[in-house]
Amino acid sequence: SGGQRQRVALGRAIAARQSVLLMDEPFGALDAISRSELQTLCAELRRELGVTTLLVTHDLLEADFLADEIAVMRAGRIEQRGSLTAL
């Protein structure tokens, strides 16, 4: 399933012990239940391992759940930066 493939991909990325993890729309093709489960797993792992993560998403609620800071970009430039409530 898509959820299992995403879990394996996340596991591989974390097992590589890189200092930075780049995630480009990692949950976009998943059903709502798998998406929620993987978002929670990702948030827990990121906190436990302390790995810096750059998440690219169009979903502001997802960004708010997973990120310490949100940057809104347009045409390759940062337009706004901060928390969801500050944006």
Side-chain angles (χ1 to χ4, degrees):
S1 75
Q4 290 297 333
R5 283 193 299 271
Q6 292 297 86
R7 282 182 178 84
V8 169
L10 181 59
R12 279 190 194 144
I14 289 170
R17 303 268 185 209
Q18 299 296 318
S19 58
V20 177
L21 180 61
L22 174 59
M23 302 176 76
D24 186 4
E25 297 281 354
F27 313 114
L30 300 175
D31 62 85
I33 293 170
S34 295
R35 182 181 186 115
S36 177
E37 289 173 352
L38 275 172
Q39 286 172 340
T40 300
L41 175 63
C42 182
E44 290 170 357
L45 286 172
R46 189 178 69 80
R47 275 192 301 276
E48 287 176 22
L49 300 174
V51 64
T52 299
T53 306
L54 177 63
L55 171 70
V56 177
T57 183
H58 291 89
D59 184 337
L60 283 176
L61 294 177
E62 179 175 82
D64 186 47
F65 178 71
L66 293 171
D68 296 325
E69 182 176 38
I70 299 171
V72 177
M73 298 182 72
R74 183 188 317 213
R77 301 179 82 94
I78 294 176
E79 295 275 326
Q80 295 177 312
R81 194 170 126 186
S83 67
L84 184 59
T85 55
L87 298 176

